[in-house]
């Protein structure tokens, strides 16, 4: 018989043998099919049911346009939502929720807090809802529990935590940004004040050497140089006058101290005329440059008047000397005495003019020395201006940088303060409940209809496996083809099958029983599917 089996196996399976296989093995197929389906489907009614509550939260954009108020919080919504999720699913938060709602009462006695927290995290699911542009516009929160009320309560609790945490996180970030900018602005203000103080001290120390004083220094220097030139001219004039007064005084003293010989008189008159010509030339020169009230003009006019008076006096003295010889000596003596008396005021006047002239020369020399000192001072200032300009440029550059940074921080701080006010007034981005936490009517697990189809697939596979196994292990011959293959010679004739009435009845009874069992089994499976759909 093993050889027969090998022959059948080598021939392979023929579809024509399928009706005979079904007729012989239908019970071996139907019973495992039903038992497999019943085991899987029945487990869906034994496993504890879990109910899932879901809520949809919409992410509302700020009501204030960004053109008016720029947000000062993290604009990466996905990252911020991930951060909020991590905070809410932290061990502390979840343990607080477990204690408040008395979750997992049976497991808390045998599991550690960390295991309970891990289990709750598995029961929570956060689902992001994205628009066609792959931007997050909403998200869902799912929580499953054995009780519908518990599932809804936990989902509601998690929803409130997400909404409040988002507001708190945005407010904290906004206030933190504003505080940071305020601190930076204070630091920038101190730096700016320090730069201003440096510039103020520098300008105070070098106020006359700054580039802004260049035009004024040049103007003052030009005026001092003009004044110096005028003083030099006046000094030269005063020195010439001093020479003249000294010579005139010597002439007076020589004239009135000598014997009065007649040969010298014409010579003295010539000298006086020459001096008068010089003085008149100086008067003409000064009159062309200065007005009548100029002091030098007045002095020259007084000198010319004195010289003319002296010249007239000399002429009168010459006429007196031409008288008689007797009376000449007496007259000359009397005239000399009278001249000494008369000329004493003129001599004193010349001495006084000479002293005034010397004092004027000293004053002008002192003025010239002062002017030279001031000119040197202003020239030194002008020479130092390029150095001070570079130093001031360095200080100003640092000040400009500090001023720019301060203005930028002040602008950002103002914008951040407005954004913080917007967040405190809850006008920024916020979470709004679009669908409140649902009350689950049907359990999310187990899905009994799905278990029904899974059980049908499992039973079908199990029935085929059992039927094929029994067919493979049966060594009986059921067809003429198999029998012919086993015979060593060819078949010459066939004897028809002669069935007894009892045998035919038994076969019919077996066939009807098989059909009846098939109808019952598939009816039960169909009824279970309907029940699973309606109840599950």
């Amino acid at each position: 018989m093993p050889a027969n089996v090998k022959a059948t196996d080598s021939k392979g399976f023929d579809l024509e043998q399928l009706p005979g296989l079904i007729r012989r093995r239908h019970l071996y197929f139907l019973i495992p099919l039903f038992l497999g389906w019943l085991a899987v489907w029945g487990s869906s009614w034994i496993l504890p049911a879990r109910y899932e509550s879901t809520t949809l939260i919409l992410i509302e954009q700020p009501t204030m346009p960004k053109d008016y108020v720029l947000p000062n919080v993290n604009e990466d919504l996905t990252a911020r939502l991930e951060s909020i999720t991590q905070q809410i699913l932290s061990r502390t938060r979840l343990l607080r929720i477990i204690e408040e709602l008395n979750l997992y009462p049976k497991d808390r006695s045998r599991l550690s807090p960390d295991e309970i927290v891990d289990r709750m995290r598995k029961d929570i699911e956060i689902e992001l809802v994205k628009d066609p542009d792959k931007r997050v516009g909403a998200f869902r929160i799912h929580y499953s529990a054995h009780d519908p009320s518990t599932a809804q309560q936990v989902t509601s609790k998690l929803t409130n935590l997400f909404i409040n945490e988002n507001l708190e996180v945005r407010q904290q970030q906004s206030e933190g940004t504003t505080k940071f900018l305020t601190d930076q602005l204070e630091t920038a203000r101190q730096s700016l004040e320090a730069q201003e103080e440096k510039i103020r001290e520098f300008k105070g120390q070098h106020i006359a050497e700054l580039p802004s004083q260049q035009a004024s220094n040049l103007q003052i220097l030009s005026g001092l140089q003009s004044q110096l030139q005028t003083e030099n001219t006046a000094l030269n004039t005063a020195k010439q006058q001093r020479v003249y007064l000294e010579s005139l005084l010597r002439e007076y003293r020589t004239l009135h101290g000598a014997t009065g010989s007649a040969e010298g008189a014409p010579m003295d008159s010539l000298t006086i005329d020459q001096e008068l010509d010089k003085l008149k030339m100086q008067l003409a020169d000064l009159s062309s440059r200065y007005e009548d009230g100029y002091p030098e003009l007045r002095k020259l006019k007084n000198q010319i008047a004195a010289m003319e008076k002296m010249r007239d006096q000399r002429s009168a003295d010459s006429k007196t000397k031409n008288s008689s010889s007797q009376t000449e000596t007496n007259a000359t003596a009397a005239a000399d005495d009278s001249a000494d008396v008369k000329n004493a005021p003129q001599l004193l006047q010349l001495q006084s003019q000479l002293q005034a002239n010397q004092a004027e020369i000293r004053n002008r020399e002192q003025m010239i020395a002062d002017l030279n000192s001031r000119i040197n001072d202003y020239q030194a200032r002008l020479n130092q201006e390029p150095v001070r300009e570079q130093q001031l440029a360095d200080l100003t550059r640092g000040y400009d940088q500090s001023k720019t940074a301060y203005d930028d921080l002040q602008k950002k701080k103002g914008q951040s303060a407005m954004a913080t006010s917007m967040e405190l007034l809850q006008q920024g981005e916020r979470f709004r409940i679009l669908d409140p936490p649902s009350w689950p009517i049907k359990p999310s697990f187990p899905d009994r209809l799905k278990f029904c189809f899974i059980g049908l697939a499992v039973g079908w596979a199990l029935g085929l496996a059992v039927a094929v196994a029994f067919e493979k292990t049966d060594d009986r011959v059921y067809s003429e083809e198999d029998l012919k293959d086993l015979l060593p010679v060819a078949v010459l004739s066939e004897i028809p099958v002669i069935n007894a009435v009892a045998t035919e009845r038994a076969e019919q009874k077996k066939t009807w029983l098989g059909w009846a069992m098939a109808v019952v089994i598939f009816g039960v499976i169909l009824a279970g599917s309907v029940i699973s759909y309606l109840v599950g």
Side-chain angles (χ1 to χ4, degrees):
M1 294 308 297
N4 297 336
V5 175
K6 290 181 180 180
T8 303
D9 293 341
S10 63
K11 186 178 181 180
F13 180 76
D14 190 359
L15 291 178
E16 295 179 355
Q17 301 176 2
L18 183 60
L21 177 63
I22 295 175
R23 186 176 60 254
R24 294 190 303 272
R25 306 298 179 186
H26 60 277
L27 293 179
Y28 297 99
F29 172 75
L30 292 174
I31 294 175
L33 170 65
F34 179 73
L35 293 177
W37 172 83
L38 184 62
V40 176
W41 181 72
S43 64
S44 67
W45 297 90
I46 298 174
L47 292 174
R50 298 188 66 84
Y51 297 87
E52 184 178 278
S53 178
T54 303
T55 182
L56 178 62
I57 300 177
L58 178 67
I59 302 174
E60 287 188 334
Q61 297 302 319
T63 57
M64 188 70 66
K66 292 184 178 180
D67 295 337
Y68 295 98
V69 180
L70 290 175
N72 59 349
V73 297
N74 184 14
E75 291 295 321
D76 190 353
L77 179 60
T78 304
R80 181 154 47 85
L81 190 59
E82 180 67 22
S83 175
I84 294 174
T85 302
Q86 294 297 327
Q87 293 179 19
I88 292 177
L89 298 185
S90 63
R91 182 177 183 275
T92 305
R93 294 284 185 88
L94 293 183
L95 285 177
R96 189 180 304 144
I97 296 175
I98 292 171
E99 292 292 338
E100 290 178 1
L101 301 179
N102 192 24
L103 303 178
Y104 312 104
K106 296 180 181 179
D107 297 331
R108 284 159 62 187
S109 60
R110 60 185 182 85
L111 297 178
S112 64
D114 291 336
E115 293 175 338
I116 296 295
V117 169
D118 292 337
R119 182 172 177 179
M120 186 173 183
R121 286 172 181 165
K122 294 178 182 179
D123 295 337
I124 299 173
E125 180 184 358
I126 308 298
E127 178 188 0
L128 299 180
V129 180
K130 297 183 179 180
D131 56 12
D133 296 332
K134 303 299 181 181
R135 293 179 299 183
V136 179
F139 63 96
R140 289 188 176 91
I141 301 176
H142 306 273
Y143 180 75
S144 59
H146 296 298
D147 181 58
S149 176
T150 302
Q152 187 185 42
Q153 290 178 5
V154 175
T155 305
S156 178
K157 186 72 174 178
L158 293 174
T159 301
N160 293 331
L161 285 177
F162 267 93
I163 294 175
N164 295 332
E165 190 68 24
N166 177 64
L167 292 176
E168 184 177 353
V169 167
R170 289 184 65 88
Q171 289 178 6
Q172 288 179 355
Q173 290 182 356
S174 181
E175 291 175 353
T177 302
T178 303
K179 184 178 183 303
F180 172 77
L181 291 175
T182 302
D183 295 340
Q184 293 298 313
L185 183 63
E186 179 63 21
T187 303
R189 185 188 63 80
Q190 295 176 359
S191 176
L192 185 63
E193 288 181 352
Q195 294 290 338
E196 290 177 347
E197 184 62 26
K198 289 181 181 179
I199 294 177
R200 191 181 301 110
E201 291 179 358
F202 181 82
K203 288 183 177 181
Q205 294 174 358
H206 310 284
I207 189 171
E209 300 174 357
L210 297 177
S212 59
Q213 299 295 324
Q214 183 177 11
S216 176
N217 290 337
L218 287 174
Q219 184 177 2
I220 294 174
L221 180 62
S222 177
L224 291 176
Q225 289 175 346
S226 299
Q227 188 177 356
L228 177 64
Q229 184 177 3
T230 302
E231 291 294 332
N232 285 325
T233 302
L235 178 62
N236 292 331
T237 303
K239 287 182 178 180
Q240 292 176 3
Q241 185 179 5
R242 182 186 63 182
V243 173
Y244 166 72
L245 290 175
E246 289 177 349
S247 63
L248 188 61
L249 187 61
R250 284 195 301 270
E251 290 292 336
Y252 261 75
R253 289 174 178 173
T254 302
L255 179 63
H256 294 285
T259 57
S261 61
E263 297 90 61
M267 193 66 181
D268 292 337
S269 298
L270 182 61
T271 302
I272 291 174
D273 291 336
Q274 292 176 354
E275 291 296 331
L276 278 173
D277 293 337
K278 290 181 180 179
L279 291 175
K280 289 179 180 179
M281 291 177 63
Q282 291 180 4
L283 179 63
D285 181 55
L286 290 178
S287 298
S288 64
R289 292 186 295 168
Y290 302 103
E291 296 180 355
D292 293 338
Y294 191 67
E296 297 296 331
L297 288 174
R298 292 198 299 269
K299 291 181 180 180
L300 284 175
K301 290 179 179 179
N302 293 332
Q303 291 177 3
I304 291 172
M307 292 293 295
E308 289 177 348
K309 185 177 181 180
M310 185 181 297
R311 184 185 60 184
D312 294 338
Q313 184 66 35
R314 291 288 181 91
S315 298
D317 291 342
S318 298
K319 291 179 181 180
T320 305
K321 290 180 180 180
N322 291 328
S323 59
S324 60
S325 56
Q326 184 178 0
T327 60
E328 183 178 358
T329 302
N330 296 330
T332 301
D336 291 338
D337 293 338
S338 178
D340 290 337
V341 174
K342 291 179 180 180
N343 290 329
Q346 295 179 355
L347 184 61
L348 291 176
Q349 183 179 5
L350 287 175
Q351 290 177 349
S352 176
Q353 289 179 357
L354 181 60
Q355 291 177 357
N357 178 264
Q358 291 176 349
E360 179 185 0
I361 291 175
R362 288 194 300 271
N363 291 335
R364 294 193 180 278
E365 288 177 348
Q366 182 64 36
M367 180 65 71
I368 290 173
D370 294 339
L371 289 174
N372 285 324
S373 177
R374 294 181 63 186
I375 289 173
N376 293 333
D377 182 36
Y378 277 94
Q379 287 179 344
R381 292 180 183 180
L382 291 173
N383 293 332
Q384 287 295 324
E385 282 180 3
V387 178
R388 305 307 179 201
E389 182 178 6
Q390 183 62 38
Q391 294 174 349
L392 184 61
D394 294 338
L395 292 175
T396 306
R397 189 182 304 111
Y399 172 79
D400 292 340
Q401 293 175 353
S402 300
K403 185 68 167 58
T404 302
Y406 179 80
D407 293 340
D408 185 52
L409 285 173
Q410 192 173 26
K411 180 180 179 181
K412 290 181 178 179
K413 189 253 182 183
Q415 294 176 349
S416 180
M418 292 179 62
T420 301
S421 299
M422 183 180 67
E423 293 296 335
L424 293 177
L425 294 175
Q426 297 184 7
Q427 298 296 319
E429 180 187 274
R430 59 177 180 171
F431 295 162
R432 183 170 65 88
I433 300 176
L434 194 61
D435 292 335
S438 62
W439 177 279
I441 299 175
K442 295 181 180 181
S444 60
F445 179 85
D447 188 348
R448 294 188 174 93
L449 184 60
K450 185 184 293 185
F451 269 71
C452 183
F453 289 116
I454 293 174
L456 184 61
V458 171
W460 190 276
L462 184 61
L464 285 178
V466 172
V468 171
F470 273 95
E471 183 67 21
K472 291 295 183 180
T473 57
D474 191 0
D475 56 358
R476 288 176 293 180
V477 177
Y478 293 100
S479 64
E480 294 178 0
E481 288 76 9
D482 293 341
L483 182 60
K484 290 177 181 180
D485 293 338
L486 293 176
L487 294 177
V489 295
V491 178
L492 298 177
S493 64
E494 295 182 359
I495 300 173
V497 178
I498 301 173
N499 291 326
V501 177
T503 303
E504 290 181 357
R505 289 178 178 176
E507 289 294 331
Q508 291 179 358
K509 183 178 180 181
K510 184 178 180 181
T511 301
W512 284 108
L513 180 62
W515 282 107
M517 183 176 291
V519 170
V520 171
I521 289 175
F522 283 104
V524 171
I525 292 175
L526 181 60
S529 300
V530 172
I531 294 173
S532 299
Y533 175 76
L534 296 176
V535 178

